[in-house]
Amino acid sequence: MSERSFDITLTVNGEELRERVDARSTLVDFLRETLSLTGSHVGCEHGVCGACTVRVDGAIVRGCLMLAVQCDGAKVETIEGLSDTGEIADLQQAFAERNALQCGFCTPGMLLTAQDLLKAGGVPSRETIRVQISGNYCRCTGYHAIVDAIEAVARARTGRGG
Ligand code: FES
Ligand code: FES
């Protein structure tokens, strides 16, 4: 069986790109290995841990379950892009202040998943926050500090105190 590759055009963190990708390359491998965007991590490689979470056309997806070739024409955003635009600066600060990260392996995916909830507005319940991040595994923190940080940012964004 011969290797097959395809030319795709896509936008990554606001930059238009034309790339040749192997048909079997996952989105997260493409981001890390071809574009050197190593903030998206690879953990389980089968859709369980959430370390590879990125945003495609506004929705969070598992970068290990999507092929790069499927992103032809798509708008892809990674932790690097969200950091550069300042979209999640308050979340990043809250995670740091509340010790919501230790080794940091889960953190990029956790931040994208949290922002996916918070951008809907309002102050979600702690239970809703826990459900939202239930697909993002953290081996270090025990999750409480992460929920605290997300809740604090939700309150701050809605002007209801932090
Ligand atoms: S590496 Fe994609 S969900 Fe674990
Ligand atoms: S901070 Fe280490 S896995 Fe979450």
Side-chain angles (χ1 to χ4, degrees), residues 49-62:
C49 75
C52 61
T53 302
V54 295
R55 205 151 69 180
V56 177
D57 292 332
I60 52 172
V61 302
R62 306 293 211 207

